[in-house]
Amino acid sequence: MLGNLRSVVRSFANITIAAERHLHPTIRSICSLNQSPLGLPTLPISIKLPTIPTKKIIDKPSPCIPLRIPRPTISIPLTDPLVNNDNEIQAARLIVIRRKKMKKHKLRKLRKRMKYVWAKVRQKREMRKEKAFQAELMGQVKEAEKFSAANYVQEKLNIVNMTILPNRWRGKRLPEFVIKDLIAKAQAKKQAKIEAVERRKKFLASYKPDTF
């Protein structure tokens, strides 16, 4: 009991000390007359406890009255915001920039992910090209080994000496074999004339007229 009383006295002294700091100087001087030199209150102390009103138990609580908010009387017509909207803000350019950035980002990720796969594909492609090149070189070497200078010269001479057949014979378009026969007959006739002229020259050279 005595301990509880001491704690109450100390709390009350702390309260009074805190209150004195905020009091007017005149009021503080008046209050200091009734205190002891140590600053503690004098006994006996009268403490007035606040009275707590008793609560009544209500059997039927009062009903909750809902608040009714009056609706506005002004009727606003509903319109489509996408039609005839002068304050429309479009972010088409921002969308284009964002798509470009996303494409660049995805391409960077794809290159990073497929780096070694694409390197293997490039290596196989280069190997195929190298094999084809080596095969072509070997074919050229074999063809050079088979080359014969005499046969090459003979082929060129045959081309030079080859007779070109005309498409027409005396203004008439004829088949190739017919033109060959006509050319052969013309050459035989020409050769016969040349031989006849040579025989005549020989006959005239060996002819000696009789002298009397």
Side-chain angles (χ1 to χ4, degrees):
M1 185 67 184
L2 185 59
N4 295 335
L5 184 59
R6 287 179 181 176
S7 62
V8 171
V9 170
R10 287 177 183 174
S11 63
F12 185 74
N14 293 332
I15 293 169
T16 54
I17 290 167
E20 283 179 358
R21 294 176 183 175
H22 300 285
L23 290 176
H24 197 268
T26 57
I27 299 171
R28 190 183 301 169
S29 63
I30 294 167
C31 294
S32 63
L33 297 175
N34 298 326
Q35 290 181 358
S36 63
L38 297 175
L40 296 175
T42 58
L43 296 175
I45 299 170
S46 62
I47 299 172
K48 292 182 180 181
L49 298 175
T51 58
I52 300 171
T54 58
K55 294 182 179 179
K56 295 180 181 180
I57 298 173
I58 300 171
D59 295 335
K60 293 181 180 180
S62 60
C64 182
I65 301 171
L67 295 176
R68 293 183 180 179
I69 301 172
R71 294 182 180 179
T73 57
I74 301 171
S75 62
I76 301 172
L78 299 175
T79 58
D80 190 359
L82 300 178
V83 177
N84 298 327
N85 189 2
D86 297 335
N87 299 325
E88 184 179 2
I89 299 174
Q90 294 184 356
R93 186 59 192 166
L94 296 178
I95 293 172
V96 171
I97 294 170
R98 182 175 176 273
R99 285 179 180 173
K100 284 185 178 180
K101 288 183 179 180
M102 284 303 297
K103 287 181 180 179
K104 192 181 294 183
H105 174 64
K106 289 181 179 179
L107 181 60
R108 194 181 298 114
K109 286 179 66 178
L110 179 65
R111 285 174 178 172
K112 186 177 180 180
R113 186 173 63 251
M114 302 292 290
K115 178 180 179 180
Y116 297 102
V117 178
W118 288 347
K120 190 181 291 185
V121 172
R122 284 195 298 271
Q123 185 179 7
K124 289 182 179 180
R125 190 184 298 122
E126 293 297 331
M127 288 176 66
R128 285 197 298 269
K129 288 182 180 179
E130 185 66 24
K131 287 181 180 179
F133 179 68
Q134 294 292 337
E136 185 178 358
L137 285 179
M138 293 301 294
Q140 291 177 1
V141 169
K142 290 179 180 179
E143 186 177 356
E145 290 176 354
K146 294 178 181 178
F147 178 75
S148 177
N151 295 335
Y152 178 77
V153 172
Q154 188 63 36
E155 288 176 1
K156 295 297 181 182
L157 291 175
N158 293 335
I159 292 171
V160 172
N161 297 327
M162 184 178 62
T163 57
I164 300 173
L165 296 175
N167 295 328
R168 296 175 181 274
W169 180 260
R170 293 180 182 178
K172 294 182 181 180
R173 193 175 186 85
L174 299 173
E176 186 177 356
F177 66 93
V178 176
I179 292 172
K180 283 182 180 181
D181 292 339
L182 293 174
I183 290 172
K185 288 179 181 180
Q187 289 179 354
K189 189 175 181 180
K190 187 176 180 180
Q191 187 69 23
K193 285 183 179 180
I194 292 171
E195 291 177 356
V197 170
E198 288 179 354
R199 284 196 302 270
R200 187 176 179 181
K201 285 181 180 180
K202 288 180 180 180
F203 177 74
L204 292 175
S206 62
Y207 176 71
K208 292 179 180 181
D210 295 333
T211 56
F212 297 100

